[in-house]
Amino acid sequence: MVFMEATHIPAGTSVPRERVFCVRKLSKTYGSGSTTVHALAGVDLDLFSGELIVLLGPSGGGKTTLLNNLGGLDTPTSGELYYRDLDLTSADESELTRYRRNAVGFVFQFYNLIPSLTARENVGLITEIARDPMPPEEALEMVNLGARLDHFPAQLSGGEQQRVAIARAIAKRPQVLLCDEPTGALDVRTGIVVLEAIDRINRDLGTLTVVITHNAVMADMADRVVHFSDGRVQQVRENSFRVAPQTLKW
Amino acid sequence: MLPHLDRKLWRDLRHMKGQVFAVALVMACGLTMLIMARSLIFSLESTQEQYYRAHHFAEVFAYLKRAPNSVLEQVRQIPGAGTVQSGLSAQVTLDIPGLDEPASGNVRSMPDYGEPELNRLYLRKGRWLQPGGRREVLVGEAFANANQLQPGDQIAMLLHGRRQQFRIAGIVLSPEFVFESRPGAALPDNRTYGIFWMPYEELAYAFDLYGAFNFLSLTLEPGASERTLMAALDNLLRPYGGRGSYGRPDHPSHIRVSDEITVLRVLAFAFPLVFLSIGAFMTNAVLSRLLALQREQIAILKAFGFLNRQIVTHYLKFALVMVSLGTILGSVGGVVLGRRLVQIYHNFFRFPTLEFQLDRSALLWALGVSAGAATLGVFNSVRRAATLPPAEAMRPEPPANYRPALVERTGIAHLFSHTFRIAVRNIERKPVQALLTIIGLALATGILIVPTCIREGLGAVLGIKWDLNSRQDVTVGLVEPSSARAQHALGQLPGVWSVEPTRTAVARIRFGHRHRQIGIQGVIEGGLHIRIVEENQREIPLPKNGIVLSSKLADVMGARFGDELTVEFLEGRRLVRNVPLLGLHDDFAGVTAHMEIDALNRLLGEGDVITGATLSVDQARRGDFLRALKGIPSVAWVVIKESIRENFGKTTAASINVIQSIYLTCASIVAFGVVYNNARISLAERSRELATLRVIGFSQREVGAVVVTELVILALIAVPIGLAFGTVLATTLITQVSTETVRLPLVLSPANYAFAVSVVVVASTLSGLFVLRRLNQLNLVGALKAPE
Ligand SMILES: Nc1ncnc2c1ncn2[C@@H]1O[C@H](COP(=O)(O)OP(=O)(O)OP(=O)(O)O)[C@@H](O)[C@H]1O
Ligand SMILES: [Mg+2]
């Protein structure tokens, strides 16, 4: 199959890199007074088109908060946050909805599928409202679920559900794919299948992809690895080449 | 300090306050009806009982033509007879200052000295008649109020054709006239008909009845048989023109109060039942939802050693809090509405005091019934949850299992949008919850049908009665039977277009062992005023030699078309004749018997006699006509269609408005509450799913559509069921209240249905919008965390 060839393209050598996200001094605080939590404490980060980013860091470090801010689910307390020309810090509810609808694909740890819709329909739900979607069948084919189209979530394994979630996220051909611990609830083998799907989509569609994980091994499949803790970017490491997920050593 | 489990109870309750309140309000509607109706029954019955006892209301009554006072001794000898009170009763025409039309009334005698032994009056205003005083009367309150008469005012009466001025000494009430109305009239007209009392001597002289009586009332000895006594009394009075005695159950005023109590009894049962059932369903839905959410908490409680009983009690307390809140609200509502309705009763029923008395046992009933309903509604699901083994309860509820909905499996699946699919599959997966919502909405729709049905039924009765059966503008009764000359005189009055003669004869109609006393009305064949209609309002000609009865009367007597009835006339030569039943008159107010006037006169063995007439009058010359009519001494009473109509609008229609607004409020509360409850539950259960939809790019409106579609589908199913239920309910109630005095045709108009539907739709929509506002508060980030 055409998607199956795992070509090893060195990072940064493909198309000229275009800045997708621009993050400056971004901070987010929860609560007030003695219960104040600085989930983000001055984040500076640029993310470019076509990149695959792995976000690593200890629990409570603020990774999810950053991802939610990037995805327009949450708004920062201060700092700058641009998606191309769109200022996400000042966007209103309907702009954010439009942004999520057209530009962002989400994948979550707990899949968050609609239990009353089949795999095909969960994807179709999105393609109904997207601007330039691919057919649901094609999206599911990309995650190797072509044979499970008419199963309900309750009839699918965890890994299969997560792949439906990925198909749902990419069916609208998003600019950005945001994955928060996509393998967190899965065993190793299943986790790899899911990562393969993410990897392939990043390569084939050129989607900027951000993957949060606790698993340092996964860093090798990224173009860049961002270490995140205490609400800040601690270190950014550029990989000279990307390792295919199936060869990752757990 | 509260036990911790109870603190949890209060926090959970606070969290669900909207739903708790919705359930309590629906229950409160039922309890309001229950408490209101039972308290009104209690108020009416106890007031009536006290009034009757304190004022010595008689138990048997008889009118006759005339009997010497010496006959009284024989009456007292009848076994079982207690106190006997005789008196005079006469028809008079009145001239009331400020009243255009002639009024008429019934004058009754008071003993010249001392109080009467039975049917004592209650003095509302002014003073009693002075012993030996002349030209003084006491006036019944309803008439006095309607005409703004005060003690000291003068009124003119035509006594036996002689016009005399009287001074009003006092305004009184009588246990015989709690409902003050012209005998035989279905609707009261207190402006043109009143009851008066004057000293025996004066009345007796005016009517040439000195030393005699024409009215008798008596009480029974304890244990005496009313039937036997009445039979003996009838035998005794027959030679004196006795018109047949009757007991309290046939007493015209008493019957109206009893009928009202009958209607209240239906209200006190049917409606609370409906509302409390919905309340129980809603309690069940709220608690099932809570239990599903708190499975793990239950497991922990059990793991720490709480007994099943304690856990069951804990959750039953939830239900009881809702019930108590409902009972409090319902009691307040019942008292407030009860007081309001008592005000309305003042328009119809004249008691010395009619005060709203709370039926305390109704409060207990209310609490008991609703607690029972709620407990029944929740006990099973609570017990099921409580008896789960802790280990099992610890696991989250198994993932929701869905499958394509039934409608989709028919092969038209591709026609549905995703939103529609989510909605349909959700409904199919939770059939019980869906069913309860449907039932709730259906009941709300159904109860709206009833009041409009009653109102339209009444409208139809009046339409039939006034525009179809009795098309005359004015009906007059003459002092004595007269010849056709009287008719001619009436025709000469200004503005009269046409006059048709009538002849009324009081008779007892017998068929088999059943009998009824009634005034047989003789009218001309082919007349334009009084017309006989069959079912479907088709006019039928008056038979030449038979009698036509109200179909209700024929029904009660078990007689059918063609049957031979026995007619015993209670006046004139008191002939007993056989007459075939040759027509069934489909009328609604009271019961009637009609014959062709010549046939009736032949049957009575009399010539060309009339006792009254019906007239149609040029409305432009109405004033002239009425003034002229006032001056005719031979006219005993006058009924003017217009004033009855007007009076009806002021009293009956006004009270129906109040009752309808009560139903409207209750139905709106139910529709609102049921939809609110359903939407809240569905929102809570699916917050994760709905938040996910928002996260992946659906707008609030689109997510709202998922919830709304579900409600719309449920409403679409519920409304037709509700209309069918309402039709059955209205049909049942209307046949339930079909008595000989009042019955209603079943009118079910499209407007009625449309109104019910629109009220339910508006209430549901408002409630839906109210809940949808909560979509703003969906926690998008929280939905992505681990399922709770
Ligand atoms: N809604 C909230 N209210 C208050 N504090 C919050 C909220 N969400 C996150 N936090 C706090 O912000 C900090 C960062 O949380 P975040 O979820 O971003 O961490 P994370 O790096 O994703 O952790 P993990 O790897 O465990 O998922 C934490 O200390 C958390 O307690
Ligand atoms: Mg996280």
Side-chain angles (χ1 to χ4, degrees), chain A residues 125-137:
Chain A
L125 185 65
I126 305 305
T127 57
E128 245 175 24
I129 61 167
R131 260 197 314 230
D132 171 32
M134 60 180 83
E137 295 77 11

Side-chain angles (χ1 to χ4, degrees), chain A residues 93 101 112 115-116 121 128, chain B residues 418 421 425 694 697 702 783:
Chain A
E93 186 51 44
R101 175 181 293 202
N112 289 68
S116 54
E121 290 164 352
E128 245 175 24
Chain B
H418 283 106
R421 271 180 223 188
R425 287 177 196 172
R694 291 279 288 121
E702 287 162 331

Side-chain angles (χ1 to χ4, degrees), chain A residues 28-39:
Chain A
K28 173 78 187 178
T29 50
Y30 288 113
S32 60
S34 61
T35 60
T36 310
V37 177
H38 294 278

Side-chain angles (χ1 to χ4, degrees), chain B residues 460-476:
Chain B
V461 167
L462 301 179
I464 291 168
K465 178 147 183 57
W466 286 327
D467 300 330
L468 201 68
N469 291 354
S470 317
R471 308 220 290 185
Q472 70 274 24
D473 299 310
V474 178
T475 311
V476 298

Side-chain angles (χ1 to χ4, degrees), chain A residues 68 73-74 93 97 100-101 106 108 110 112 114-118 121 124-126 128-129 152 154-155 168 172, chain B residues 400-404 418 421-422 425 688-689 692-699 702 780-781 783-787:
Chain A
N68 288 344
L73 287 181
D74 208 348
E93 186 51 44
T97 300
R100 289 200 301 268
R101 175 181 293 202
F106 281 104
F108 311 106
F110 300 102
N112 289 68
I114 307 299
S116 54
L117 296 180
T118 63
E121 290 164 352
L125 185 65
I126 305 305
E128 245 175 24
I129 61 167
F152 282 91
Q155 300 163 334
R168 178 176 72 180
K172 60 173 136 177
Chain B
N401 245 318
Y402 285 89
R403 48 188 199 147
H418 283 106
R421 271 180 223 188
I422 295 179
R425 287 177 196 172
R688 193 177 164 77
E689 177 180 337
T692 304
L693 286 173
R694 291 279 288 121
V695 164
I696 61 182
F698 278 77
S699 66
E702 287 162 331
L780 301 196
V781 175
L784 309 177
K785 297 213 174 110

Side-chain angles (χ1 to χ4, degrees), chain A residues 30 37 39 58-65 181 214:
Chain A
Y30 288 113
V37 177
S59 182
K63 303 181 296 295
T64 299
T65 308
E181 302 187 41
H214 280 127

Side-chain angles (χ1 to χ4, degrees), chain A residues 59-60 63-64 67-68 73 105-113 157-166 168-169 178-187 190-191 194 198 210-215, chain B residues 688 692 695 780-787:
Chain A
S59 182
K63 303 181 296 295
T64 299
L67 203 77
N68 288 344
L73 287 181
F106 281 104
V107 178
F108 311 106
Q109 184 177 357
F110 300 102
Y111 330 134
N112 289 68
L113 296 179
S157 76
E160 287 166 338
Q161 288 185 52
Q162 190 61 299
R163 281 184 283 154
V164 174
I166 293 171
R168 178 176 72 180
L178 302 174
C179 313
D180 192 351
E181 302 187 41
T183 60
L186 304 173
D187 64 56
T190 327
V194 167
I198 292 172
V210 182
V211 181
I212 293 180
T213 179
H214 280 127
N215 193 338
Chain B
R688 193 177 164 77
T692 304
V695 164
L780 301 196
V781 175
L784 309 177
K785 297 213 174 110

